[in-house]
Amino acid sequence: MLIWKWIYRVCGGVGCVGVDRVGRVVHNVYMTGEALGRPVSVRLPESLRVRVEALAAATRRSRGDVLREAMEREVDRLEWEQQLLARAVQVRTGQVRALSADEVDRMLGLDGVAVPADAVDDLS
């Protein structure tokens, strides 16, 4: 089990270092609590590389830290989108039955309840 401790690196940026139960410092540990695995090589368009380097410099972090955080955030969204697409395929192929809004209203006992014209405006 690791106990997390935020420290300032020598360069002045914020880093995360794990400390195990015996008090030994465990390096190469990131915010997810997992040790960093094998490196991955990715070719970036020049404009994106420049933006990553500028952000890394502005936040006093390494390019790898910036890219890792961006990947962690974006992979969650991409997984969610993939789940939506898979569910849509299930609905289209008849594996899952979708309910209409009228059916949901009846199930909730809202059948015949008038909806104000500006109800959609209140959603945002």
Side-chain angles (χ1 to χ4, degrees), residues 49-120:
R49 186 188 62 75
V50 168
R51 291 172 59 196
V52 167
E53 288 178 353
L55 183 59
T59 58
R60 299 174 122 180
R61 297 167 60 201
S62 71
R63 288 179 305 212
D65 285 345
V66 170
L67 289 170
R68 190 176 308 106
E69 183 177 340
M71 291 293 296
E72 286 177 353
R73 290 181 183 187
E74 191 60 22
V75 166
D76 287 341
R77 189 178 69 82
L78 291 172
E79 288 171 339
W80 175 77
E81 288 175 359
Q82 183 58 42
Q83 290 171 354
L84 285 178
L85 292 171
R87 186 60 140 188
V89 168
Q90 290 175 336
V91 169
R92 287 187 194 128
T93 59
Q95 298 172 6
V96 175
R97 183 174 173 269
L99 300 175
S100 69
D102 291 336
E103 290 174 297
V104 172
D105 285 348
R106 278 193 296 280
M107 291 172 68
L108 295 174
L110 300 174
D111 195 26
V113 176
V115 177
D118 64 346
V120 175

